[in-house]
Amino acid sequence: MTKKVLENAIRTCVERGDQAFVPYMMAGDGGIGTLKEQILFLQQAGVTAIELGIPFSDPVADGPVIQQAGARALAQGVTLRKVLKELRLFRDEVKVPLVLMLYLNPILRMGITEFVEECEASGIAGLIVPDLPLEESGLLRDELGHTDIALIQLVSLTSSPERIQKITAAGEGFIYAVTVNGITGVRSGFGDQLETHLEQLKAVSPVPVLAGFGISTPEQVRSIGAFADGVIVGSAIVDAFHRNDLATVEALVKASKKEIVS
Amino acid sequence: MVQNVEQKAGRYGKFGGQFVPETLMTALIELEAAYEEAIADPAFNEEVEYYLKDFVGRETALFFAERLTKAAGGAKIYLKREDLNHTGAHKINNAIGQALLAMRMGKKRIVAETGAGQHGVATATACALFGLECIVFMGKEDVRRQELNVFRMELLGAKVVSVDQGAGTLKDAVNEALRYWVANVEDTHYILGSALGPHPFPRIVRDFQRVIGVETRKQIMEKEGRLPDAVVACIGGGSNSIGMFHPFIEDEGVALYGVEAAGSGIETGLHAAAIAGGKEGVLHGAKMYILQDEDGFIQEAHSISAGLDYPAVGPEHCHLHDIGRVTYTSVTDAGALEGLQLLAKTEGIIPALESSHAVHYAVELAGKMQEDEIVVICLSGRGDKDVQTVRDALGGVTND
């Protein structure tokens, strides 16, 4: 095992002619009991990996849909520790890589060493920490060095070419290309420069590039995914799970698959 | 001397840093470069000084509080009258400086957070003065308890956005201001009002507030021919206190006291004293002492004073605490109310509830000192904005 679990899952998918599809779900939105059910549903639907959001009191990178989902999970008493413990119970049934998306403070409170051990015990393949930019990432990178857990870096539309070089050089798992200036959430349009940005990013990145933030419809999954190796869909999935609208989730996943021409 | 505490860019011992989403990193790097370039330019410094003198009304007085000194029964007490600034508090020092910096960077729009409304009013004022668009985020609870300040900001042409998330106080307003800045970073500058947030904000805010301590140092030398024995300032995020303390840090004979808001009492858990009751963590872009639970969720702060109602303390203060250079202590809501009334009746000055915490502690401290010793209080703001809150708290009856 290496840090390549995530990267390989994405590459396998792209080589097959599909786009990688990584849904974001809020862990414990609906109670910790929904965690297994939702993960296995997404796996069955054919996702490439799953981004599992951990609720936080002050989610500054998130828009209203994910903020509200986090607030519901917090009200149910969901914490980082509880999610990791719950994941261990059905770890063997999960075949797709799991990526935790969480803010830094709960990690620091738990203690980085203990956090990394717990993640390994729960089979976590990657981490996205939105308030840990490259300059500060040594904090986690050192402790993750000997593990199979990839520390995923984000690149934004505002990142300069020099920063993009540095960030992609440190890339593990995949590069999370933030497609809008702003927070997570549904959007109708994207800037014209997005296509060029994603293509340039793919050209320099040694790991796959997934686009995320604001992607919410099957059309956007297809169109934006075409310029990258795939997409991450957050708010639309969180909202669909909250409304128990599983057909919408399935339609989003399906849009990432190669169209079968008969 | 300015470098004595900040060992490397943005770090104060183990505190500070830049814990922000990648989208903001380029803006922070640009801000740092623009700031370095600006402060090296004498024309920029002259411009800041011009507005501080002719618009804000600096320098502010250092006033010998004779009757308060008698009431305390010990050391001589001086008041650094930041309450006499235009808009009624020290916040304008930083708002003017950062607004001029924003214009130099070609930004057209300003976003800010506010708790008590003092920083919001100061920012709205600077934006009106310079013709900048201004958006202020304010927690809904603060909007309720400071409604006159909301109207004041609107009169000045600012748009005030009420924030419903969380408890609707300063922390939630910072979250929302940060979200707005992430989405509008290309043409917007965020004027943070306290000495916190990601580097370079703690340094920029401190530098623009240093004028408080620099003037105090000069004025006390003129009046007393020597430095004070103690300097006392209130601390929420810590902007007035860092501005007051910083020029005295190398002076070992000057004891420095930062007064946190103990709310209903530290032991009740309902307080805003992050140094007394917080743990190390990361919030709003910096490593600081933060009120948080065992899972790392940030807790709500509690204080009668909206301006101190923040669950963390700026990174430089955290370091000054660790190295023991500043003594951090706390005063409850009740203590602040006593301090406010005492200063009103002995000196004819109604201080802001924030500053009243410092007044209360300084009176106790002075009482234990000798008559030939000197204490300076940073009177960071005036109390006009708090009259309604104080009346409600006292049930319409003042203590005599």
PDB file of all heavy atoms in Angstrom, chain A residues 48-75:
ATOM      1  N   THR A  48     -16.389   7.159  -7.499  1.00  0.00           N
ATOM      2  CA  THR A  48     -14.964   6.820  -7.535  1.00  0.00           C
ATOM      3  C   THR A  48     -14.362   6.829  -6.129  1.00  0.00           C
ATOM      4  O   THR A  48     -13.493   6.033  -5.793  1.00  0.00           O
ATOM      5  CB  THR A  48     -14.203   7.846  -8.404  1.00  0.00           C
ATOM      6  OG1 THR A  48     -14.980   8.110  -9.574  1.00  0.00           O
ATOM      7  CG2 THR A  48     -12.839   7.349  -8.791  1.00  0.00           C
ATOM      8  N   ALA A  49     -14.779   7.796  -5.343  1.00  0.00           N
ATOM      9  CA  ALA A  49     -14.332   7.931  -3.953  1.00  0.00           C
ATOM     10  C   ALA A  49     -15.411   8.755  -3.253  1.00  0.00           C
ATOM     11  O   ALA A  49     -16.307   9.289  -3.918  1.00  0.00           O
ATOM     12  CB  ALA A  49     -12.982   8.632  -3.875  1.00  0.00           C
ATOM     13  N   ILE A  50     -15.333   8.850  -1.926  1.00  0.00           N
ATOM     14  CA  ILE A  50     -16.336   9.636  -1.192  1.00  0.00           C
ATOM     15  C   ILE A  50     -15.626  10.647  -0.299  1.00  0.00           C
ATOM     16  O   ILE A  50     -14.683  10.299   0.425  1.00  0.00           O
ATOM     17  CB  ILE A  50     -17.241   8.729  -0.334  1.00  0.00           C
ATOM     18  CG1 ILE A  50     -18.061   7.791  -1.235  1.00  0.00           C
ATOM     19  CG2 ILE A  50     -18.177   9.575   0.551  1.00  0.00           C
ATOM     20  CD1 ILE A  50     -18.798   6.700  -0.477  1.00  0.00           C
ATOM     21  N   GLU A  51     -16.076  11.898  -0.390  1.00  0.00           N
ATOM     22  CA  GLU A  51     -15.566  12.947   0.496  1.00  0.00           C
ATOM     23  C   GLU A  51     -16.562  13.084   1.644  1.00  0.00           C
ATOM     24  O   GLU A  51     -17.733  13.361   1.437  1.00  0.00           O
ATOM     25  CB  GLU A  51     -15.438  14.270  -0.279  1.00  0.00           C
ATOM     26  CG  GLU A  51     -14.781  15.366   0.530  1.00  0.00           C
ATOM     27  CD  GLU A  51     -14.747  16.712  -0.205  1.00  0.00           C
ATOM     28  OE1 GLU A  51     -14.909  16.742  -1.447  1.00  0.00           O
ATOM     29  OE2 GLU A  51     -14.602  17.730   0.480  1.00  0.00           O
ATOM     30  N   LEU A  52     -16.047  12.841   2.836  1.00  0.00           N
ATOM     31  CA  LEU A  52     -16.899  12.799   4.013  1.00  0.00           C
ATOM     32  C   LEU A  52     -16.647  14.044   4.860  1.00  0.00           C
ATOM     33  O   LEU A  52     -15.564  14.202   5.418  1.00  0.00           O
ATOM     34  CB  LEU A  52     -16.512  11.529   4.789  1.00  0.00           C
ATOM     35  CG  LEU A  52     -17.466  10.915   5.781  1.00  0.00           C
ATOM     36  CD1 LEU A  52     -18.815  10.640   5.144  1.00  0.00           C
ATOM     37  CD2 LEU A  52     -16.843   9.606   6.288  1.00  0.00           C
ATOM     38  N   GLY A  53     -17.636  14.921   4.908  1.00  0.00           N
ATOM     39  CA  GLY A  53     -17.475  16.157   5.672  1.00  0.00           C
ATOM     40  C   GLY A  53     -17.702  15.914   7.153  1.00  0.00           C
ATOM     41  O   GLY A  53     -18.613  15.186   7.541  1.00  0.00           O
ATOM     42  N   ILE A  54     -16.835  16.487   7.987  1.00  0.00           N
ATOM     43  CA  ILE A  54     -17.003  16.397   9.438  1.00  0.00           C
ATOM     44  C   ILE A  54     -17.583  17.730   9.900  1.00  0.00           C
ATOM     45  O   ILE A  54     -17.034  18.781   9.566  1.00  0.00           O
ATOM     46  CB  ILE A  54     -15.640  16.164  10.134  1.00  0.00           C
ATOM     47  CG1 ILE A  54     -14.947  14.903   9.570  1.00  0.00           C
ATOM     48  CG2 ILE A  54     -15.806  16.075  11.654  1.00  0.00           C
ATOM     49  CD1 ILE A  54     -15.664  13.607   9.837  1.00  0.00           C
ATOM     50  N   PRO A  55     -18.694  17.713  10.644  1.00  0.00           N
ATOM     51  CA  PRO A  55     -19.298  18.991  11.031  1.00  0.00           C
ATOM     52  C   PRO A  55     -18.377  19.813  11.934  1.00  0.00           C
ATOM     53  O   PRO A  55     -17.609  19.256  12.718  1.00  0.00           O
ATOM     54  CB  PRO A  55     -20.572  18.574  11.769  1.00  0.00           C
ATOM     55  CG  PRO A  55     -20.347  17.173  12.208  1.00  0.00           C
ATOM     56  CD  PRO A  55     -19.429  16.557  11.189  1.00  0.00           C
ATOM     57  N   PHE A  56     -18.466  21.144  11.775  1.00  0.00           N
ATOM     58  CA  PHE A  56     -17.637  22.058  12.571  1.00  0.00           C
ATOM     59  C   PHE A  56     -18.474  23.281  12.925  1.00  0.00           C
ATOM     60  O   PHE A  56     -19.369  23.664  12.179  1.00  0.00           O
ATOM     61  CB  PHE A  56     -16.383  22.447  11.778  1.00  0.00           C
ATOM     62  CG  PHE A  56     -15.422  23.330  12.551  1.00  0.00           C
ATOM     63  CD1 PHE A  56     -14.982  22.964  13.820  1.00  0.00           C
ATOM     64  CD2 PHE A  56     -14.958  24.521  12.004  1.00  0.00           C
ATOM     65  CE1 PHE A  56     -14.098  23.770  14.524  1.00  0.00           C
ATOM     66  CE2 PHE A  56     -14.072  25.335  12.705  1.00  0.00           C
ATOM     67  CZ  PHE A  56     -13.652  24.966  13.966  1.00  0.00           C
ATOM     68  N   SER A  57     -18.149  23.869  14.055  1.00  0.00           N
ATOM     69  CA  SER A  57     -18.911  25.030  14.533  1.00  0.00           C
ATOM     70  C   SER A  57     -18.740  26.258  13.648  1.00  0.00           C
ATOM     71  O   SER A  57     -19.631  27.094  13.580  1.00  0.00           O
ATOM     72  CB  SER A  57     -18.451  25.372  15.957  1.00  0.00           C
ATOM     73  OG  SER A  57     -17.029  25.479  16.007  1.00  0.00           O
ATOM     74  N   ASP A  58     -17.604  26.389  12.968  1.00  0.00           N
ATOM     75  CA  ASP A  58     -17.306  27.605  12.213  1.00  0.00           C
ATOM     76  C   ASP A  58     -16.762  27.297  10.819  1.00  0.00           C
ATOM     77  O   ASP A  58     -15.605  27.547  10.528  1.00  0.00           O
ATOM     78  CB  ASP A  58     -16.300  28.455  13.000  1.00  0.00           C
ATOM     79  CG  ASP A  58     -16.899  28.959  14.303  1.00  0.00           C
ATOM     80  OD1 ASP A  58     -16.917  28.176  15.284  1.00  0.00           O
ATOM     81  OD2 ASP A  58     -17.389  30.083  14.325  1.00  0.00           O
ATOM     82  N   PRO A  59     -17.624  26.734   9.948  1.00  0.00           N
ATOM     83  CA  PRO A  59     -17.149  26.286   8.640  1.00  0.00           C
ATOM     84  C   PRO A  59     -17.013  27.435   7.632  1.00  0.00           C
ATOM     85  O   PRO A  59     -17.878  27.640   6.776  1.00  0.00           O
ATOM     86  CB  PRO A  59     -18.243  25.295   8.210  1.00  0.00           C
ATOM     87  CG  PRO A  59     -19.487  25.802   8.873  1.00  0.00           C
ATOM     88  CD  PRO A  59     -19.058  26.477  10.148  1.00  0.00           C
ATOM     89  N   VAL A  60     -15.902  28.174   7.695  1.00  0.00           N
ATOM     90  CA  VAL A  60     -15.765  29.398   6.885  1.00  0.00           C
ATOM     91  C   VAL A  60     -15.678  29.163   5.386  1.00  0.00           C
ATOM     92  O   VAL A  60     -15.898  30.090   4.619  1.00  0.00           O
ATOM     93  CB  VAL A  60     -14.547  30.260   7.300  1.00  0.00           C
ATOM     94  CG1 VAL A  60     -14.781  30.940   8.608  1.00  0.00           C
ATOM     95  CG2 VAL A  60     -13.273  29.469   7.323  1.00  0.00           C
ATOM     96  N   ALA A  61     -15.337  27.941   4.960  1.00  0.00           N
ATOM     97  CA  ALA A  61     -15.227  27.712   3.521  1.00  0.00           C
ATOM     98  C   ALA A  61     -16.545  27.207   2.925  1.00  0.00           C
ATOM     99  O   ALA A  61     -16.619  26.946   1.733  1.00  0.00           O
ATOM    100  CB  ALA A  61     -14.107  26.718   3.227  1.00  0.00           C
ATOM    101  N   ASP A  62     -17.572  27.053   3.758  1.00  0.00           N
ATOM    102  CA  ASP A  62     -18.804  26.440   3.271  1.00  0.00           C
ATOM    103  C   ASP A  62     -19.963  27.412   3.119  1.00  0.00           C
ATOM    104  O   ASP A  62     -20.121  28.338   3.901  1.00  0.00           O
ATOM    105  CB  ASP A  62     -19.209  25.293   4.204  1.00  0.00           C
ATOM    106  CG  ASP A  62     -18.302  24.089   4.019  1.00  0.00           C
ATOM    107  OD1 ASP A  62     -18.193  23.625   2.868  1.00  0.00           O
ATOM    108  OD2 ASP A  62     -17.685  23.647   4.999  1.00  0.00           O
ATOM    109  N   GLY A  63     -20.774  27.112   2.084  1.00  0.00           N
ATOM    110  CA  GLY A  63     -21.977  27.882   1.815  1.00  0.00           C
ATOM    111  C   GLY A  63     -23.142  27.394   2.658  1.00  0.00           C
ATOM    112  O   GLY A  63     -22.997  26.474   3.465  1.00  0.00           O
ATOM    113  N   PRO A  64     -24.314  28.007   2.445  1.00  0.00           N
ATOM    114  CA  PRO A  64     -25.474  27.748   3.308  1.00  0.00           C
ATOM    115  C   PRO A  64     -25.921  26.283   3.387  1.00  0.00           C
ATOM    116  O   PRO A  64     -26.247  25.814   4.470  1.00  0.00           O
ATOM    117  CB  PRO A  64     -26.587  28.603   2.692  1.00  0.00           C
ATOM    118  CG  PRO A  64     -25.938  29.524   1.731  1.00  0.00           C
ATOM    119  CD  PRO A  64     -24.552  29.055   1.450  1.00  0.00           C
ATOM    120  N   VAL A  65     -25.903  25.547   2.260  1.00  0.00           N
ATOM    121  CA  VAL A  65     -26.425  24.171   2.266  1.00  0.00           C
ATOM    122  C   VAL A  65     -25.571  23.293   3.196  1.00  0.00           C
ATOM    123  O   VAL A  65     -26.096  22.567   4.048  1.00  0.00           O
ATOM    124  CB  VAL A  65     -26.442  23.577   0.841  1.00  0.00           C
ATOM    125  CG1 VAL A  65     -26.777  22.087   0.880  1.00  0.00           C
ATOM    126  CG2 VAL A  65     -27.446  24.329  -0.027  1.00  0.00           C
ATOM    127  N   ILE A  66     -24.254  23.386   3.042  1.00  0.00           N
ATOM    128  CA  ILE A  66     -23.367  22.551   3.863  1.00  0.00           C
ATOM    129  C   ILE A  66     -23.310  23.080   5.304  1.00  0.00           C
ATOM    130  O   ILE A  66     -23.252  22.303   6.256  1.00  0.00           O
ATOM    131  CB  ILE A  66     -21.977  22.408   3.193  1.00  0.00           C
ATOM    132  CG1 ILE A  66     -22.156  21.612   1.895  1.00  0.00           C
ATOM    133  CG2 ILE A  66     -20.968  21.745   4.120  1.00  0.00           C
ATOM    134  CD1 ILE A  66     -20.910  21.378   1.086  1.00  0.00           C
ATOM    135  N   GLN A  67     -23.380  24.395   5.468  1.00  0.00           N
ATOM    136  CA  GLN A  67     -23.448  24.957   6.832  1.00  0.00           C
ATOM    137  C   GLN A  67     -24.644  24.376   7.588  1.00  0.00           C
ATOM    138  O   GLN A  67     -24.538  23.979   8.746  1.00  0.00           O
ATOM    139  CB  GLN A  67     -23.635  26.475   6.798  1.00  0.00           C
ATOM    140  CG  GLN A  67     -22.392  27.279   6.504  1.00  0.00           C
ATOM    141  CD  GLN A  67     -22.717  28.775   6.498  1.00  0.00           C
ATOM    142  OE1 GLN A  67     -23.422  29.273   7.366  1.00  0.00           O
ATOM    143  NE2 GLN A  67     -22.206  29.476   5.511  1.00  0.00           N
ATOM    144  N   GLN A  68     -25.804  24.353   6.898  1.00  0.00           N
ATOM    145  CA  GLN A  68     -27.008  23.858   7.568  1.00  0.00           C
ATOM    146  C   GLN A  68     -26.924  22.365   7.852  1.00  0.00           C
ATOM    147  O   GLN A  68     -27.356  21.896   8.907  1.00  0.00           O
ATOM    148  CB  GLN A  68     -28.256  24.185   6.737  1.00  0.00           C
ATOM    149  CG  GLN A  68     -28.642  25.662   6.858  1.00  0.00           C
ATOM    150  CD  GLN A  68     -29.424  26.159   5.650  1.00  0.00           C
ATOM    151  OE1 GLN A  68     -30.007  25.366   4.910  1.00  0.00           O
ATOM    152  NE2 GLN A  68     -29.430  27.480   5.452  1.00  0.00           N
ATOM    153  N   ALA A  69     -26.352  21.616   6.898  1.00  0.00           N
ATOM    154  CA  ALA A  69     -26.189  20.171   7.117  1.00  0.00           C
ATOM    155  C   ALA A  69     -25.268  19.940   8.321  1.00  0.00           C
ATOM    156  O   ALA A  69     -25.519  19.068   9.159  1.00  0.00           O
ATOM    157  CB  ALA A  69     -25.606  19.509   5.873  1.00  0.00           C
ATOM    158  N   GLY A  70     -24.206  20.751   8.401  1.00  0.00           N
ATOM    159  CA  GLY A  70     -23.278  20.637   9.526  1.00  0.00           C
ATOM    160  C   GLY A  70     -23.966  20.962  10.836  1.00  0.00           C
ATOM    161  O   GLY A  70     -23.766  20.280  11.851  1.00  0.00           O
ATOM    162  N   ALA A  71     -24.797  21.985  10.818  1.00  0.00           N
ATOM    163  CA  ALA A  71     -25.516  22.377  12.035  1.00  0.00           C
ATOM    164  C   ALA A  71     -26.471  21.259  12.470  1.00  0.00           C
ATOM    165  O   ALA A  71     -26.603  20.973  13.663  1.00  0.00           O
ATOM    166  CB  ALA A  71     -26.279  23.677  11.791  1.00  0.00           C
ATOM    167  N   ARG A  72     -27.119  20.593  11.499  1.00  0.00           N
ATOM    168  CA  ARG A  72     -28.012  19.466  11.842  1.00  0.00           C
ATOM    169  C   ARG A  72     -27.207  18.324  12.459  1.00  0.00           C
ATOM    170  O   ARG A  72     -27.616  17.724  13.451  1.00  0.00           O
ATOM    171  CB  ARG A  72     -28.746  18.959  10.586  1.00  0.00           C
ATOM    172  CG  ARG A  72     -29.809  19.902  10.050  1.00  0.00           C
ATOM    173  CD  ARG A  72     -30.687  19.224   8.996  1.00  0.00           C
ATOM    174  NE  ARG A  72     -29.963  18.821   7.795  1.00  0.00           N
ATOM    175  CZ  ARG A  72     -29.855  19.558   6.687  1.00  0.00           C
ATOM    176  NH1 ARG A  72     -30.428  20.752   6.610  1.00  0.00           N
ATOM    177  NH2 ARG A  72     -29.186  19.106   5.641  1.00  0.00           N
ATOM    178  N   ALA A  73     -26.043  18.032  11.862  1.00  0.00           N
ATOM    179  CA  ALA A  73     -25.210  16.943  12.391  1.00  0.00           C
ATOM    180  C   ALA A  73     -24.704  17.290  13.795  1.00  0.00           C
ATOM    181  O   ALA A  73     -24.698  16.436  14.685  1.00  0.00           O
ATOM    182  CB  ALA A  73     -24.043  16.673  11.442  1.00  0.00           C
ATOM    183  N   LEU A  74     -24.296  18.549  13.989  1.00  0.00           N
ATOM    184  CA  LEU A  74     -23.827  18.969  15.319  1.00  0.00           C
ATOM    185  C   LEU A  74     -24.942  18.822  16.346  1.00  0.00           C
ATOM    186  O   LEU A  74     -24.705  18.374  17.469  1.00  0.00           O
ATOM    187  CB  LEU A  74     -23.360  20.431  15.295  1.00  0.00           C
ATOM    188  CG  LEU A  74     -22.014  20.735  14.626  1.00  0.00           C
ATOM    189  CD1 LEU A  74     -21.760  22.234  14.610  1.00  0.00           C
ATOM    190  CD2 LEU A  74     -20.871  20.009  15.329  1.00  0.00           C
ATOM    191  N   ALA A  75     -26.159  19.164  15.932  1.00  0.00           N
ATOM    192  CA  ALA A  75     -27.301  19.060  16.842  1.00  0.00           C
ATOM    193  C   ALA A  75     -27.562  17.607  17.230  1.00  0.00           C
ATOM    194  O   ALA A  75     -28.119  17.318  18.289  1.00  0.00           O
ATOM    195  CB  ALA A  75     -28.540  19.691  16.201  1.00  0.00           C
TER     196      ALA A  75
END
